[in-house]
């Protein structure tokens, strides 16, 4: 008998029929004697409908009132699920974020959870009730309704699991787990049984959008085992948990291949290579709220100048180019060039830490297919390369094959 | 500079355009320097949409969860109106019933207000903010969301006006006031400038459904001047206030003519006229939760039996007849007869108290048109007659004319 927190997303509760199906799932767990806390999103489309109403009034609606408005979406689904559970003979009780005291800061529309008062939930659980909580919302210290921003229901689930010391936080969604890479690119992409928090963070931020990144960070911080499963299909999903490389033989070198086409590359050529030049180039970019991802500075040329290259989100390319041109004029640089036909491909895996030559295996696999690497960046558990976007699928398939990700996991010795 | 509480119903906030129009109205009051508290219903149709969702799950949904569900309707409109006010440059802040601490008992779906904490509203008003409150809802002592039942937003308005000692509670609706009678029956029916709480209660309960009866009771109890006005037309509406017969010359004898066709008549004939017979007849009816309205007992006949007649709601007629037949058998009564082709017509006015012969004027006016009176019942400020429903319109017109209700109010001496 364990305590489970289950979170169901908008498509999982998108109609009365689907809410009834969720009630069946929850009831089955409860019938086994488990204590159940269920976190729900709004019915799919409802949050957008509400936001649309607000936009009819004003282009930038007041954030406090926006939270009052959109938080109604989850309040509808928690009431309906509780009714459906009661119909099945299971006692249940619904709570808004404010009622269950999910205390947040007052950053409306993107608030962060500070504290959760579990007393009332414990009392309900002890009385055998299923506790049904509105995701995505909380209340600030002054009693104002707040929301956690898009995807915040995942964070609510993890936070409740942490506060209640749950055995597992199960995120039910419309995919059945985390894959080695996008199955639309690689037919033989395989669902991972397990992945570490760190790997998931690298995968998520790189485009395998299964879970909200803040939820994963939160789960990692509080060591809440997180499982991603499908609402619509049976299966064990993917368990996201602590790094257990030391005690598990099956740890692979690389867990997955992430990629995206969202970036563009900017290069400033022939910059006089003085101390502090990187800062003088990047500070004006940051001042415009443009996020920079990969950064590479060439070694100085004979003439004492250098080239400086970085990537930004494609949507920011024009603005970044303008800023960079201004900087180039100030610094007396030769020219600014840009390229938005690039892609980023990354291999991710905690196993890299203890296995040598992972990078060279990656580069040689790409080289065998004549894929030119434009930029490289590495972290402890990730290696990313920037390539011409035409070669993206080819690169992902080559790497998926090189690191044998289609095979069930087995020990892979570093060479 | 006064404090006004304004309540806008579902049709008044039924679309974004209408919410913008309400914002204009509120802003105009605020611009004059008045302190404003606005109470809103859900957008018209929304509460029914939500109830329909619940009914898809269960025929009798859990009442606590029903309140969690339907209370979202008003939460949407308060957020939208606050945004619309801010767009116009007026600071505003929305509150759910729970946030503004409208404390109720825990009778879900029909809760009663027990207490209101005005501190937060006072702070907002002092800071120049328009306070926008969700009608129809509150919170019980355990923090559960409650609702006050259909039309409960009127009650919220009056309760807030009482708690804040407002100058007036203004109920904006789709009619422009209270009329002497239904204008669909009498062309010359006239809007009343003023009416007393007691008269309004008699008018409302008799079918002139402008205001929720509980709201009027509440307003009378706490002496909150109540004004009914149209959201869509200019005008002063009708002010419902204390009886000022003593100090106002313009007090008429009769203020209005109410009527309904909702009742049916039952007669038990030839009942042995023993002490306690009325109770033996009516107790079994009450036990079936059937409400009885007009009751008449004939004087005993020579044979020591009597006839006993009463009216019930037409929907209850069949059940009441069954019960009454059983009673008749037990008591050895001669027969039970019933008639659902009846109507009730009432004249209402606090002026009756001090003017004699109002009843005889009523009866003679009906007699002149050959309308037979089947039953009569009177209260201090009301006289009702039961007649054949075919004569309803004729009777209403005759009485409207007899008491000169089409004329602007003037002193009418009792004869």
């Amino acid at each position: 008998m364990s305590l489970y927190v289950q979170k169901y997303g908008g498509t999982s509760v998108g109609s009365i029929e689907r809410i009834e199906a969720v009630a069946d799932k929850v009831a089955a767990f409860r019938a086994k004697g488990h204590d159940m806390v269920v976190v729900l999103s709004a019915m799919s489309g409802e949050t957008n409908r509400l936001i649309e109403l607000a936009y009819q009034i004003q282009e930038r609606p007041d954030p406090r009132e926006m939270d009052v408005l959109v938080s109604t979406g989850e309040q509808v689904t928690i009431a309906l699920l509780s009714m459906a559970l009661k119909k099945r003979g299971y006692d249940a009780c619904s709570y808004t974020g404010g009622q269950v005291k999910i205390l947040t800061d007052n950053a409306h529309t993107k608030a962060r959870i500070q504290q959760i008062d579990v007393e009332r939930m414990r009392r309900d659980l002890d009385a055998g009730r299923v506790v049904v909580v509105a995701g995505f919302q909380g209340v600030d210290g002054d009693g104002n309704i707040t929301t956690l921003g898009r995807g915040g229901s995942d964070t609510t689930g993890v936070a409740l699991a942490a506060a209640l010391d749950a055995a597992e936080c199960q995120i039910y969604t419309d995919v059945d787990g985390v894959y080695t890479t996008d199955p639309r690119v690689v037919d033989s992409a395989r669902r991972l049984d397990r992945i570490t928090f760190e790997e998931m963070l690298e995968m998520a931020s790189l485009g395998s959008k299964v879970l909200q990144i803040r939820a994963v960070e939160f789960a990692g911080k509080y060591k809440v085992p997180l499982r991603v499963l499908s609402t619509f299909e049976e299966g064990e999903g993917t368990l996201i948990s602590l790094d257990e490389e030391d005690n598990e033989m099956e740890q692979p070198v690389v867990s997955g291949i992430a990629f995206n086409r969202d970036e563009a590359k900017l290069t400033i050529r022939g910059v006089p290579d003085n101390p502090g030049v990187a800062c003088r180039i990047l500070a004006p970019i940051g001042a415009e709220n443009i996020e920079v991802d990969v950064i590479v500075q060439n070694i100085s040329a004979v003439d004492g100048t250098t080239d400086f290259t970085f990537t930004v989100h494609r949507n920011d390319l024009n603005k970044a180019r303008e800023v960079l041109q201004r900087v180039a004029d100030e610094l007396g640089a030769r020219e600014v060039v840009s390229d938005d036909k690039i892609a980023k491909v990354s291999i991710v895996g905690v196993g890299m830490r203890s296995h040598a030559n992972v990078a060279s295996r990656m580069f040689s696999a790409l080289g065998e297919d004549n894929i030119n690497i434009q930029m490289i960046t590495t972290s402890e558990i990730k290696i990313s390369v920037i390539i011409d976007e035409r070669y993206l699928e080819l690169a992902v398939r080559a790497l998926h094959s090189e690191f044998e990700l289609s095979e069930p996991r087995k020990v892979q010795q570093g060479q």
Side-chain angles (χ1 to χ4, degrees), chain A:
Chain A
M1 304 313 109
S2 307
L3 168 58
Y4 288 108
V5 175
Q6 297 187 332
K7 179 259 169 177
Y8 293 89
T11 51
S12 306
V13 293
S15 66
I16 294 294
E17 292 68 35
R18 289 191 168 179
I19 288 173
E20 299 264 20
V22 167
D24 285 336
K25 264 184 153 16
V26 173
F29 271 82
R30 182 76 197 103
K32 287 181 192 150
H34 298 304
D35 286 335
M36 300 300 296
V37 174
V38 183
V39 175
L40 299 184
S41 299
M43 294 171 99
S44 51
E46 178 64 5
T47 304
N48 285 337
R49 182 185 78 86
L50 293 166
I51 290 172
E52 199 41 58
L53 285 176
Y55 284 164
Q56 284 181 47
I57 291 175
Q58 208 168 10
E59 211 172 304
R60 286 193 196 167
D62 183 70
R64 180 191 183 278
E65 301 304 332
M66 203 65 181
D67 283 351
V68 172
L69 180 69
V70 298
S71 61
T72 61
E74 293 77 31
Q75 194 170 326
V76 168
T77 51
I78 57 171
L80 294 173
L81 180 68
S82 299
M83 290 174 190
L85 285 166
K86 292 211 158 197
K87 182 169 90 172
R88 284 159 177 76
Y90 292 88
D91 199 5
C93 204
S94 75
Y95 295 103
T96 63
Q99 285 180 306
V100 87
K101 294 261 161 50
I102 297 180
L103 188 72
T104 72
D105 59 24
N106 63 3
H108 285 291
T109 76
K110 48 181 191 295
R112 293 194 167 246
I113 297 175
Q114 293 178 330
Q115 201 188 305
I116 296 177
D117 182 0
V118 298
E119 197 203 323
R120 182 152 188 180
M121 287 184 280
R122 281 263 180 245
R123 228 186 309 145
D124 280 338
L125 291 171
D126 290 347
R129 277 182 210 112
V130 177
V131 174
V132 184
V133 180
F136 168 73
Q137 59 183 251
V139 66
D140 73 9
D142 291 325
N144 297 303
I145 296 168
T146 55
T147 67
L148 311 179
R150 285 269 159 170
S153 292
D154 289 355
T155 308
T156 304
V158 172
L160 286 175
L164 290 161
D165 198 20
E168 210 170 272
C169 177
Q170 304 181 332
I171 309 282
Y172 285 85
T173 176
D174 42 10
V175 297
D176 70 344
V178 180
Y179 275 69
T180 50
T181 195
D182 188 337
R184 285 171 301 186
V185 171
V186 181
D187 285 344
S188 60
R190 206 173 35 79
R191 183 177 56 73
L192 294 162
D193 292 328
R194 307 189 65 137
I195 186 172
T196 70
F197 293 118
E198 293 163 290
E199 287 171 329
M200 188 64 214
L201 285 174
E202 297 289 4
M203 299 283 275
S205 65
L206 291 171
S208 312
K209 285 167 186 113
V210 181
L211 272 169
Q212 209 213 4
I213 192 160
R214 265 170 63 197
V216 179
E217 285 170 0
F218 217 96
K221 186 171 169 193
Y222 292 99
K223 304 185 176 56
V224 175
L226 199 59
R227 190 181 291 275
V228 178
L229 313 94
S230 165
T231 313
F232 309 108
E233 292 167 39
E234 292 299 310
E236 293 299 304
T238 298
L239 179 66
I240 305 153
S241 60
L242 285 179
D243 179 4
E244 296 180 4
E245 195 189 4
D246 294 342
N247 31 27
E248 245 189 57
M249 286 296 288
E250 280 70 38
Q251 192 63 41
V253 177
V254 169
S255 292
I257 317 288
F259 59 86
N260 77 51
R261 282 176 237 252
D262 300 335
E263 297 185 30
K265 190 176 72 168
L266 287 145
T267 301
I268 177 166
R269 286 228 176 95
V271 198
D273 191 8
N274 304 323
V277 69
C279 174
R280 291 184 65 189
I281 293 168
L282 291 180
I285 300 283
E288 294 287 332
N289 279 317
I290 299 169
E291 273 189 57
V292 171
D293 183 23
V294 185
I295 304 169
V296 172
Q297 182 174 357
N298 279 4
I299 50 166
S300 264
V302 189
D303 63 356
T305 66
T306 186
D307 297 346
F308 195 93
T309 303
F310 57 91
T311 65
V312 298
H313 196 281
R314 277 192 199 178
N315 296 341
D316 292 329
L317 177 59
N318 286 338
K319 198 159 76 172
R321 230 194 117 97
E322 276 172 38
V323 176
L324 196 59
Q325 189 58 60
R326 234 173 28 235
V327 172
D329 296 344
E330 284 167 24
L331 296 180
R334 200 159 59 241
E335 64 172 339
V336 168
V337 292
S338 66
D339 181 3
D340 65 354
K341 299 276 181 280
I342 59 164
K344 182 160 106 172
V345 181
S346 308
I347 57 174
V348 176
V350 289
M352 285 183 205
R353 283 184 188 139
S354 50
H355 292 85
N357 291 328
V358 178
S360 64
R361 275 178 72 189
M362 180 186 195
F363 303 153
S364 90
L366 295 173
E368 275 166 31
D369 280 335
N370 290 313
I371 300 167
N372 186 40
I373 298 170
Q374 303 180 8
M375 298 169 82
I376 299 171
T377 179
T378 63
S379 80
E380 250 198 311
I381 65 162
K382 181 191 68 170
I383 303 170
S384 302
V385 296
I386 300 291
I387 59 173
D388 185 320
E389 74 170 0
R390 285 178 297 171
Y391 300 115
L392 174 61
E393 286 82 2
L394 182 62
V396 172
R397 286 182 201 125
L399 295 171
H400 202 268
S401 163
E402 169 63 28
F403 293 101
E404 297 172 40
L405 292 177
S406 308
E407 315 296 322
R409 283 192 171 196
K410 59 177 190 206
V411 183
Q412 294 189 5
Q413 296 300 337
Q415 287 135 24

